[in-house]
mmCIF file of all heavy atoms in Angstrom:
data_model
loop_
_atom_site.group_PDB
_atom_site.id
_atom_site.type_symbol
_atom_site.label_atom_id
_atom_site.label_comp_id
_atom_site.label_asym_id
_atom_site.label_seq_id
_atom_site.Cartn_x
_atom_site.Cartn_y
_atom_site.Cartn_z
ATOM 1 N N ASN F 1 3.738 -10.967 10.421
ATOM 2 C CA ASN F 1 4.178 -11.537 11.712
ATOM 3 C C ASN F 1 4.176 -10.454 12.741
ATOM 4 O O ASN F 1 4.007 -9.213 12.415
ATOM 5 C CB ASN F 1 5.569 -12.194 11.564
ATOM 6 C CG ASN F 1 6.660 -11.203 11.155
ATOM 7 O OD1 ASN F 1 6.942 -10.276 11.888
ATOM 8 N ND2 ASN F 1 7.190 -11.390 9.971
ATOM 9 N N ARG F 2 4.478 -10.795 14.012
ATOM 10 C CA ARG F 2 4.336 -9.798 15.055
ATOM 11 C C ARG F 2 5.589 -8.930 15.178
ATOM 12 O O ARG F 2 5.625 -7.902 15.869
ATOM 13 C CB ARG F 2 4.185 -10.501 16.466
ATOM 14 C CG ARG F 2 2.836 -11.242 16.572
ATOM 15 C CD ARG F 2 2.720 -11.889 17.842
ATOM 16 N NE ARG F 2 3.844 -12.868 18.050
ATOM 17 C CZ ARG F 2 3.997 -13.663 19.037
ATOM 18 N NH1 ARG F 2 3.142 -13.607 20.041
ATOM 19 N NH2 ARG F 2 4.993 -14.491 19.129
ATOM 20 N N LEU F 3 6.706 -9.303 14.522
ATOM 21 C CA LEU F 3 7.947 -8.585 14.665
ATOM 22 C C LEU F 3 8.101 -7.485 13.698
ATOM 23 O O LEU F 3 8.782 -6.448 13.988
ATOM 24 C CB LEU F 3 9.147 -9.543 14.495
ATOM 25 C CG LEU F 3 9.201 -10.713 15.519
ATOM 26 C CD1 LEU F 3 10.327 -11.559 15.192
ATOM 27 C CD2 LEU F 3 9.312 -10.142 16.938
ATOM 28 N N GLU F 4 7.499 -7.569 12.538
ATOM 29 C CA GLU F 4 7.619 -6.549 11.422
ATOM 30 C C GLU F 4 6.241 -5.942 11.191
ATOM 31 O O GLU F 4 5.365 -6.596 10.655
ATOM 32 C CB GLU F 4 8.181 -7.131 10.149
ATOM 33 C CG GLU F 4 9.557 -7.703 10.310
ATOM 34 C CD GLU F 4 10.047 -8.288 8.995
ATOM 35 O OE1 GLU F 4 9.233 -8.860 8.225
ATOM 36 O OE2 GLU F 4 11.279 -8.140 8.723
ATOM 37 N N HIS F 5 6.081 -4.667 11.556
ATOM 38 C CA HIS F 5 4.818 -4.023 11.268
ATOM 39 C C HIS F 5 4.848 -3.413 9.887
ATOM 40 O O HIS F 5 5.736 -2.600 9.599
ATOM 41 C CB HIS F 5 4.540 -2.942 12.354
ATOM 42 C CG HIS F 5 4.412 -3.490 13.722
ATOM 43 N ND1 HIS F 5 3.295 -4.132 14.119
ATOM 44 C CD2 HIS F 5 5.309 -3.508 14.717
ATOM 45 C CE1 HIS F 5 3.478 -4.568 15.333
ATOM 46 N NE2 HIS F 5 4.682 -4.150 15.765
ATOM 47 N N ARG F 6 3.902 -3.781 9.036
ATOM 48 C CA ARG F 6 3.871 -3.374 7.622
ATOM 49 C C ARG F 6 2.501 -2.907 7.300
ATOM 50 O O ARG F 6 1.492 -3.350 7.982
ATOM 51 C CB ARG F 6 4.275 -4.479 6.685
ATOM 52 C CG ARG F 6 5.629 -5.076 6.997
ATOM 53 C CD ARG F 6 6.710 -4.033 6.648
ATOM 54 N NE ARG F 6 8.111 -4.631 6.741
ATOM 55 C CZ ARG F 6 8.984 -4.190 7.597
ATOM 56 N NH1 ARG F 6 8.722 -3.209 8.420
ATOM 57 N NH2 ARG F 6 10.142 -4.718 7.633
ATOM 58 N N GLY F 7 2.386 -2.039 6.289
ATOM 59 C CA GLY F 7 1.027 -1.526 5.921
ATOM 60 C C GLY F 7 1.020 -0.799 4.628
ATOM 61 O O GLY F 7 2.039 -0.619 3.966
ATOM 62 N N VAL F 8 -0.152 -0.440 4.233
ATOM 63 C CA VAL F 8 -0.441 0.318 2.977
ATOM 64 C C VAL F 8 -1.226 1.595 3.355
ATOM 65 O O VAL F 8 -2.169 1.555 4.050
ATOM 66 C CB VAL F 8 -1.324 -0.442 1.984
ATOM 67 C CG1 VAL F 8 -1.584 0.353 0.741
ATOM 68 C CG2 VAL F 8 -0.654 -1.775 1.633
ATOM 69 N N LEU F 9 -0.623 2.774 2.949
ATOM 70 C CA LEU F 9 -1.333 4.002 3.103
ATOM 71 C C LEU F 9 -1.977 4.315 1.776
ATOM 72 O O LEU F 9 -1.273 4.330 0.711
ATOM 73 C CB LEU F 9 -0.313 5.100 3.447
ATOM 74 C CG LEU F 9 -0.815 6.516 3.519
ATOM 75 C CD1 LEU F 9 -1.962 6.659 4.540
ATOM 76 C CD2 LEU F 9 0.317 7.445 3.901
ATOM 77 N N HIS F 10 -3.255 4.507 1.722
ATOM 78 C CA HIS F 10 -4.024 4.830 0.524
ATOM 79 C C HIS F 10 -4.576 6.190 0.657
ATOM 80 O O HIS F 10 -5.354 6.484 1.560
ATOM 81 C CB HIS F 10 -5.138 3.788 0.331
ATOM 82 C CG HIS F 10 -6.085 4.087 -0.772
ATOM 83 N ND1 HIS F 10 -7.349 3.528 -0.889
ATOM 84 C CD2 HIS F 10 -5.933 4.859 -1.882
ATOM 85 C CE1 HIS F 10 -7.951 3.932 -1.961
ATOM 86 N NE2 HIS F 10 -7.087 4.735 -2.621
ATOM 87 N N ALA F 11 -4.252 7.117 -0.243
ATOM 88 C CA ALA F 11 -4.705 8.497 -0.266
ATOM 89 C C ALA F 11 -5.408 8.678 -1.601
ATOM 90 O O ALA F 11 -4.933 8.319 -2.660
ATOM 91 C CB ALA F 11 -3.620 9.470 -0.030
ATOM 92 N N LYS F 12 -6.520 9.404 -1.536
ATOM 93 C CA LYS F 12 -7.200 9.913 -2.762
ATOM 94 C C LYS F 12 -6.923 11.427 -2.867
ATOM 95 O O LYS F 12 -7.160 12.177 -1.927
ATOM 96 C CB LYS F 12 -8.708 9.716 -2.739
ATOM 97 C CG LYS F 12 -9.191 8.362 -2.902
ATOM 98 C CD LYS F 12 -10.716 8.377 -2.910
ATOM 99 C CE LYS F 12 -11.291 7.010 -2.940
ATOM 100 N NZ LYS F 12 -12.800 7.090 -2.962
ATOM 101 N N LEU F 13 -6.292 11.743 -4.022
ATOM 102 C CA LEU F 13 -5.974 13.158 -4.216
ATOM 103 C C LEU F 13 -6.917 13.759 -5.236
ATOM 104 O O LEU F 13 -7.243 13.068 -6.229
ATOM 105 C CB LEU F 13 -4.513 13.289 -4.764
ATOM 106 C CG LEU F 13 -3.417 12.621 -3.889
ATOM 107 C CD1 LEU F 13 -2.048 12.893 -4.509
ATOM 108 C CD2 LEU F 13 -3.460 13.136 -2.448
ATOM 109 N N GLN F 14 -7.195 15.025 -5.085
ATOM 110 C CA GLN F 14 -8.046 15.707 -6.057
ATOM 111 C C GLN F 14 -7.212 16.762 -6.834
ATOM 112 O O GLN F 14 -6.832 17.731 -6.252
ATOM 113 C CB GLN F 14 -9.252 16.383 -5.328
ATOM 114 C CG GLN F 14 -10.276 16.933 -6.276
ATOM 115 C CD GLN F 14 -10.839 15.829 -7.206
ATOM 116 O OE1 GLN F 14 -11.293 14.855 -6.684
ATOM 117 N NE2 GLN F 14 -10.749 16.021 -8.494
ATOM 118 N N LEU F 15 -6.936 16.447 -8.052
ATOM 119 C CA LEU F 15 -6.132 17.369 -8.889
ATOM 120 C C LEU F 15 -7.032 18.350 -9.543
ATOM 121 O O LEU F 15 -8.149 18.133 -9.893
ATOM 122 C CB LEU F 15 -5.405 16.531 -10.013
ATOM 123 C CG LEU F 15 -4.177 15.764 -9.562
ATOM 124 C CD1 LEU F 15 -4.479 14.710 -8.541
ATOM 125 C CD2 LEU F 15 -3.459 15.184 -10.789
ATOM 126 N N GLU F 16 -6.463 19.589 -9.623
ATOM 127 C CA GLU F 16 -7.250 20.731 -10.166
ATOM 128 C C GLU F 16 -7.607 20.455 -11.643
ATOM 129 O O GLU F 16 -6.754 20.051 -12.455
ATOM 130 C CB GLU F 16 -6.370 21.960 -10.114
ATOM 131 C CG GLU F 16 -7.126 23.198 -10.481
ATOM 132 C CD GLU F 16 -6.285 24.432 -10.280
ATOM 133 O OE1 GLU F 16 -5.541 24.507 -9.238
ATOM 134 O OE2 GLU F 16 -6.448 25.382 -11.073
ATOM 135 N N GLY F 17 -8.872 20.595 -11.943
ATOM 136 C CA GLY F 17 -9.347 20.421 -13.321
ATOM 137 C C GLY F 17 -9.548 18.958 -13.695
ATOM 138 O O GLY F 17 -9.862 18.669 -14.892
ATOM 139 N N VAL F 18 -9.368 17.988 -12.795
ATOM 140 C CA VAL F 18 -9.539 16.614 -13.099
ATOM 141 C C VAL F 18 -10.641 16.058 -12.228
ATOM 142 O O VAL F 18 -10.667 16.199 -10.981
ATOM 143 C CB VAL F 18 -8.227 15.802 -12.854
ATOM 144 C CG1 VAL F 18 -8.451 14.345 -13.113
ATOM 145 C CG2 VAL F 18 -7.087 16.379 -13.589
ATOM 146 N N GLN F 19 -11.656 15.425 -12.890
ATOM 147 C CA GLN F 19 -12.801 14.919 -12.121
ATOM 148 C C GLN F 19 -12.496 13.652 -11.303
ATOM 149 O O GLN F 19 -12.976 13.478 -10.253
ATOM 150 C CB GLN F 19 -13.972 14.650 -13.085
ATOM 151 C CG GLN F 19 -14.574 15.971 -13.602
ATOM 152 C CD GLN F 19 -15.834 15.661 -14.480
ATOM 153 O OE1 GLN F 19 -16.185 14.587 -14.735
ATOM 154 N NE2 GLN F 19 -16.445 16.772 -14.870
ATOM 155 N N LEU F 20 -11.714 12.759 -11.942
ATOM 156 C CA LEU F 20 -11.425 11.462 -11.238
ATOM 157 C C LEU F 20 -10.337 11.685 -10.176
ATOM 158 O O LEU F 20 -9.417 12.454 -10.376
ATOM 159 C CB LEU F 20 -10.949 10.415 -12.239
ATOM 160 C CG LEU F 20 -11.923 10.024 -13.304
ATOM 161 C CD1 LEU F 20 -11.178 9.079 -14.353
ATOM 162 C CD2 LEU F 20 -13.131 9.305 -12.730
ATOM 163 N N PRO F 21 -10.492 10.987 -9.048
ATOM 164 C CA PRO F 21 -9.421 11.110 -8.048
ATOM 165 C C PRO F 21 -8.139 10.341 -8.476
ATOM 166 O O PRO F 21 -8.228 9.413 -9.246
ATOM 167 C CB PRO F 21 -10.066 10.443 -6.792
ATOM 168 C CG PRO F 21 -10.998 9.399 -7.390
ATOM 169 C CD PRO F 21 -11.559 10.009 -8.655
ATOM 170 N N LEU F 22 -7.031 10.790 -7.970
ATOM 171 C CA LEU F 22 -5.794 10.072 -8.199
ATOM 172 C C LEU F 22 -5.555 9.278 -6.929
ATOM 173 O O LEU F 22 -5.483 9.822 -5.799
ATOM 174 C CB LEU F 22 -4.607 11.068 -8.452
ATOM 175 C CG LEU F 22 -3.213 10.474 -8.420
ATOM 176 C CD1 LEU F 22 -3.025 9.418 -9.483
ATOM 177 C CD2 LEU F 22 -2.151 11.583 -8.536
ATOM 178 N N HIS F 23 -5.447 7.957 -7.078
ATOM 179 C CA HIS F 23 -5.190 7.092 -5.969
ATOM 180 C C HIS F 23 -3.688 6.884 -5.831
ATOM 181 O O HIS F 23 -3.040 6.617 -6.750
ATOM 182 C CB HIS F 23 -5.868 5.717 -6.138
ATOM 183 C CG HIS F 23 -7.375 5.786 -6.198
ATOM 184 N ND1 HIS F 23 -8.134 5.529 -5.147
ATOM 185 C CD2 HIS F 23 -8.152 6.048 -7.219
ATOM 186 C CE1 HIS F 23 -9.402 5.652 -5.472
ATOM 187 N NE2 HIS F 23 -9.446 5.926 -6.756
ATOM 188 N N CYS F 24 -3.185 7.029 -4.591
ATOM 189 C CA CYS F 24 -1.792 6.853 -4.247
ATOM 190 C C CYS F 24 -1.730 5.756 -3.174
ATOM 191 O O CYS F 24 -2.341 5.915 -2.109
ATOM 192 C CB CYS F 24 -1.143 8.092 -3.774
ATOM 193 S SG CYS F 24 -1.112 9.371 -4.991
ATOM 194 N N LEU F 25 -0.987 4.669 -3.484
ATOM 195 C CA LEU F 25 -0.739 3.656 -2.523
ATOM 196 C C LEU F 25 0.697 3.635 -2.155
ATOM 197 O O LEU F 25 1.552 3.492 -3.017
ATOM 198 C CB LEU F 25 -1.146 2.264 -3.066
ATOM 199 C CG LEU F 25 -2.597 2.058 -3.455
ATOM 200 C CD1 LEU F 25 -2.831 0.678 -4.051
ATOM 201 C CD2 LEU F 25 -3.569 2.329 -2.255
ATOM 202 N N CYS F 26 1.024 3.784 -0.865
ATOM 203 C CA CYS F 26 2.402 3.755 -0.367
ATOM 204 C C CYS F 26 2.521 2.501 0.512
ATOM 205 O O CYS F 26 1.794 2.382 1.506
ATOM 206 C CB CYS F 26 2.646 5.027 0.439
ATOM 207 S SG CYS F 26 4.315 5.066 1.098
ATOM 208 N N VAL F 27 3.372 1.615 0.029
ATOM 209 C CA VAL F 27 3.522 0.282 0.692
ATOM 210 C C VAL F 27 4.849 0.196 1.462
ATOM 211 O O VAL F 27 5.793 0.812 1.094
ATOM 212 C CB VAL F 27 3.375 -0.842 -0.283
ATOM 213 C CG1 VAL F 27 2.054 -0.822 -1.032
ATOM 214 C CG2 VAL F 27 4.549 -0.809 -1.286
ATOM 215 N N HIS F 28 4.804 -0.478 2.520
ATOM 216 C CA HIS F 28 6.016 -0.846 3.322
ATOM 217 C C HIS F 28 6.036 -2.387 3.391
ATOM 218 O O HIS F 28 5.283 -3.043 4.048
ATOM 219 C CB HIS F 28 5.832 -0.251 4.700
ATOM 220 C CG HIS F 28 7.123 -0.377 5.529
ATOM 221 N ND1 HIS F 28 8.394 -0.190 4.989
ATOM 222 C CD2 HIS F 28 7.298 -0.642 6.843
ATOM 223 C CE1 HIS F 28 9.286 -0.367 5.976
ATOM 224 N NE2 HIS F 28 8.653 -0.608 7.036
ATOM 225 N N MET F 29 6.935 -2.970 2.587
ATOM 226 C CA MET F 29 6.956 -4.432 2.339
ATOM 227 C C MET F 29 7.773 -5.160 3.355
ATOM 228 O O MET F 29 8.681 -4.618 3.971
ATOM 229 C CB MET F 29 7.486 -4.731 0.961
ATOM 230 C CG MET F 29 6.694 -4.061 -0.208
ATOM 231 S SD MET F 29 4.998 -4.621 -0.277
ATOM 232 C CE MET F 29 5.164 -6.264 -0.952
ATOM 233 N N ASN F 30 7.426 -6.407 3.505
ATOM 234 C CA ASN F 30 8.110 -7.310 4.433
ATOM 235 C C ASN F 30 9.558 -7.570 3.906
ATOM 236 O O ASN F 30 9.806 -7.425 2.748
ATOM 237 C CB ASN F 30 7.359 -8.669 4.451
ATOM 238 C CG ASN F 30 7.725 -9.536 5.576
ATOM 239 O OD1 ASN F 30 8.858 -9.824 5.841
ATOM 240 N ND2 ASN F 30 6.700 -9.968 6.333
ATOM 241 N N MET F 31 10.467 -7.925 4.890
ATOM 242 C CA MET F 31 11.845 -8.291 4.451
ATOM 243 C C MET F 31 11.939 -9.699 3.912
ATOM 244 O O MET F 31 12.958 -9.969 3.202
ATOM 245 C CB MET F 31 12.754 -8.118 5.717
ATOM 246 C CG MET F 31 12.759 -6.758 6.344
ATOM 247 S SD MET F 31 13.545 -5.567 5.280
ATOM 248 C CE MET F 31 15.228 -5.999 5.537
ATOM 249 N N VAL F 32 11.019 -10.585 4.206
ATOM 250 C CA VAL F 32 11.100 -11.977 3.774
ATOM 251 C C VAL F 32 10.277 -12.185 2.563
ATOM 252 O O VAL F 32 9.212 -11.666 2.447
ATOM 253 C CB VAL F 32 10.626 -12.909 4.934
ATOM 254 C CG1 VAL F 32 10.632 -14.401 4.521
ATOM 255 C CG2 VAL F 32 11.394 -12.677 6.186
ATOM 256 N N GLY F 33 10.838 -12.959 1.557
ATOM 257 C CA GLY F 33 10.167 -13.091 0.293
ATOM 258 C C GLY F 33 8.749 -13.691 0.424
ATOM 259 O O GLY F 33 7.865 -13.200 -0.286
ATOM 260 N N SER F 34 8.532 -14.669 1.225
ATOM 261 C CA SER F 34 7.194 -15.274 1.332
ATOM 262 C C SER F 34 6.184 -14.262 1.874
ATOM 263 O O SER F 34 5.031 -14.266 1.462
ATOM 264 C CB SER F 34 7.155 -16.531 2.185
ATOM 265 O OG SER F 34 7.684 -16.189 3.536
ATOM 266 N N GLY F 35 6.684 -13.379 2.835
ATOM 267 C CA GLY F 35 5.819 -12.366 3.339
ATOM 268 C C GLY F 35 5.486 -11.342 2.268
ATOM 269 O O GLY F 35 4.327 -10.809 2.207
ATOM 270 N N LYS F 36 6.428 -10.995 1.440
ATOM 271 C CA LYS F 36 6.242 -10.038 0.314
ATOM 272 C C LYS F 36 5.154 -10.587 -0.620
ATOM 273 O O LYS F 36 4.291 -9.788 -1.078
ATOM 274 C CB LYS F 36 7.498 -9.756 -0.438
ATOM 275 C CG LYS F 36 8.447 -8.926 0.296
ATOM 276 C CD LYS F 36 9.711 -8.611 -0.517
ATOM 277 C CE LYS F 36 10.700 -7.849 0.251
ATOM 278 N NZ LYS F 36 11.904 -7.633 -0.485
ATOM 279 N N LEU F 37 5.153 -11.870 -0.935
ATOM 280 C CA LEU F 37 4.142 -12.412 -1.792
ATOM 281 C C LEU F 37 2.779 -12.210 -1.290
ATOM 282 O O LEU F 37 1.804 -11.895 -1.997
ATOM 283 C CB LEU F 37 4.457 -13.862 -2.087
ATOM 284 C CG LEU F 37 5.713 -14.181 -3.004
ATOM 285 C CD1 LEU F 37 5.963 -15.689 -3.164
ATOM 286 C CD2 LEU F 37 5.517 -13.509 -4.364
ATOM 287 N N LYS F 38 2.582 -12.540 0.052
ATOM 288 C CA LYS F 38 1.272 -12.369 0.678
ATOM 289 C C LYS F 38 0.843 -10.869 0.588
ATOM 290 O O LYS F 38 -0.251 -10.583 0.328
ATOM 291 C CB LYS F 38 1.319 -12.837 2.089
ATOM 292 C CG LYS F 38 -0.092 -12.703 2.786
ATOM 293 C CD LYS F 38 -0.034 -12.966 4.293
ATOM 294 C CE LYS F 38 -1.379 -12.718 4.866
ATOM 295 N NZ LYS F 38 -2.080 -11.454 4.577
ATOM 296 N N GLN F 39 1.806 -9.978 0.896
ATOM 297 C CA GLN F 39 1.489 -8.581 0.922
ATOM 298 C C GLN F 39 1.151 -8.089 -0.521
ATOM 299 O O GLN F 39 0.256 -7.232 -0.658
ATOM 300 C CB GLN F 39 2.730 -7.769 1.447
ATOM 301 C CG GLN F 39 2.866 -7.937 2.905
ATOM 302 C CD GLN F 39 4.157 -7.237 3.379
ATOM 303 O OE1 GLN F 39 5.222 -7.470 2.901
ATOM 304 N NE2 GLN F 39 3.924 -6.347 4.418
ATOM 305 N N LEU F 40 1.810 -8.576 -1.551
ATOM 306 C CA LEU F 40 1.490 -8.194 -2.883
ATOM 307 C C LEU F 40 0.042 -8.609 -3.204
ATOM 308 O O LEU F 40 -0.698 -7.826 -3.823
ATOM 309 C CB LEU F 40 2.366 -8.858 -3.863
ATOM 310 C CG LEU F 40 3.809 -8.232 -3.932
ATOM 311 C CD1 LEU F 40 4.680 -9.078 -4.863
ATOM 312 C CD2 LEU F 40 3.754 -6.830 -4.457
ATOM 313 N N GLY F 41 -0.434 -9.771 -2.707
ATOM 314 C CA GLY F 41 -1.788 -10.156 -2.863
ATOM 315 C C GLY F 41 -2.737 -9.203 -2.126
ATOM 316 O O GLY F 41 -3.756 -8.820 -2.597
ATOM 317 N N ASP F 42 -2.329 -8.778 -0.890
ATOM 318 C CA ASP F 42 -3.152 -7.850 -0.118
ATOM 319 C C ASP F 42 -3.285 -6.489 -0.812
ATOM 320 O O ASP F 42 -4.294 -5.928 -0.871
ATOM 321 C CB ASP F 42 -2.567 -7.644 1.289
ATOM 322 C CG ASP F 42 -2.618 -8.852 2.148
ATOM 323 O OD1 ASP F 42 -3.345 -9.739 1.838
ATOM 324 O OD2 ASP F 42 -1.823 -8.877 3.136
ATOM 325 N N VAL F 43 -2.144 -6.048 -1.428
ATOM 326 C CA VAL F 43 -2.124 -4.704 -2.112
ATOM 327 C C VAL F 43 -3.035 -4.819 -3.383
ATOM 328 O O VAL F 43 -3.856 -3.889 -3.664
ATOM 329 C CB VAL F 43 -0.685 -4.249 -2.488
ATOM 330 C CG1 VAL F 43 -0.728 -3.052 -3.364
ATOM 331 C CG2 VAL F 43 0.034 -3.980 -1.252
ATOM 332 N N ALA F 44 -2.892 -5.920 -4.065
ATOM 333 C CA ALA F 44 -3.711 -6.112 -5.330
ATOM 334 C C ALA F 44 -5.209 -6.180 -4.962
ATOM 335 O O ALA F 44 -6.019 -5.565 -5.680
ATOM 336 C CB ALA F 44 -3.266 -7.369 -6.088
ATOM 337 N N GLY F 45 -5.556 -6.819 -3.875
ATOM 338 C CA GLY F 45 -6.931 -6.938 -3.495
ATOM 339 C C GLY F 45 -7.452 -5.548 -3.077
ATOM 340 O O GLY F 45 -8.595 -5.177 -3.382
#
C-alpha cells in the first residue's frame, strides 16, 4: 500500500575460500497479516 514502504535488500557476499556466493536477503515486512502473505510470496519468488 502507499502508507507502508517495504522491501527486500538482496546482497551477494563472497566468502574467502568459498566459490559459491552467500545470498543474504533482508526483509522489512508489512504490519498487516494479508500484506505479509503477499510479501512472503514476493520473497519466495
